[in-house]
Amino acid sequence: EPEVTQTPSHQVTQMGQEVILRCVPISNHLYFYWYRQILGQKVEFLVSFYNNEISEKSEIFDDQFSVERPDGSNFTLKIRSTKLEDSAMYFCASSAGRETGELFFGEGSRLTVL
Amino acid sequence: LAKTTQPISMDSYEGQEVNITCSHNNIATNDYITWYQQFPSQGPRFIIQGYKTKVTNEVASLFIPADRKSSTLSLPRVSLSDTAVYYCLVVGVGNMLTFGGGTRLMVKP
């Protein structure tokens, strides 16, 4: 069964450092997403991406965040200058269509900011 | 955006049927009702989706009354591995899923 893969599974970084989280969506999917979940809290939408541009973004997705699809397979989330409150599990997801409601999530990347 | 309300937690025993009800009083005409499952330290996983009446797949059934203001996820004969958080979402155009707190299901032996 095709799956979304994410790397790294866990990253520890110092406050103020840049972090790049990587995702390989399912190959024939066209829509890509990043969500995050702070420990013990809800899964929160960050951004959606289609046709090489951001479709929607939440208030969380400020100027410190950016996304990119540098080649035909990877989808990355960059945090320019990490803060303590960025510590969370970051989930990448992809979907075939925009209105299906069926997103395929990866296993997540745990980010710990010290 | 339609708000959903579901129990914070439920307990069950292996082999029992579990029904989790979700209310979504202000669901819009074009919205679908979608359920996800999440195990600890894993990403959410799509379970089932419906618009009205009943939908069944190999994992669960989803019952939606005519007014669509609520829905019930039914898990037949649960096992210990069904212990997870179950999220009810109302999804419109754009797939910007809004997760609530979910229902934490604990299946006991």
Side-chain angles (χ1 to χ4, degrees), chain A residues 28-31 33 94-103, chain B residues 94-95:
Chain A
N28 63 341
H29 285 182
L30 301 176
Y31 298 85
Y33 314 84
S94 68
S95 69
R98 186 168 177 262
E99 300 178 19
T100 65
E102 183 175 2
L103 272 60
Chain B
N95 284 338

Side-chain angles (χ1 to χ4, degrees), chain A residues 10-98:
Chain A
H10 189 191
Q11 181 156 357
V12 181
T13 190
Q14 295 291 324
M15 191 169 53
Q17 295 296 304
E18 176 183 283
V19 160
I20 297 177
L21 305 178
R22 292 182 167 79
C23 169
V24 179
I26 293 173
S27 61
N28 63 341
H29 285 182
L30 301 176
Y31 298 85
F32 314 114
Y33 314 84
W34 283 100
Y35 286 77
R36 80 169 186 191
Q37 186 173 32
I38 295 171
L39 187 64
Q41 297 188 25
K42 299 175 184 178
V43 177
E44 301 174 292
F45 169 77
L46 292 179
V47 66
S48 61
F49 191 87
Y50 170 71
N51 200 26
N52 283 320
E53 60 182 28
I54 291 173
S55 309
E56 289 175 280
K57 60 182 181 178
S58 71
E59 291 178 355
I60 302 169
F61 194 87
D62 61 22
D63 292 343
Q64 291 299 313
F65 291 88
S66 62
V67 289
E68 194 178 32
R69 190 156 160 82
D71 52 42
S73 60
N74 290 287
F75 179 51
T76 62
L77 174 70
K78 182 194 290 187
I79 309 175
R80 285 192 186 78
S81 178
T82 50
K83 304 187 285 285
L84 296 176
E85 54 265 36
D86 293 327
S87 294
M89 196 75 150
Y90 288 81
F91 294 109
C92 174
S94 68
S95 69
R98 186 168 177 262

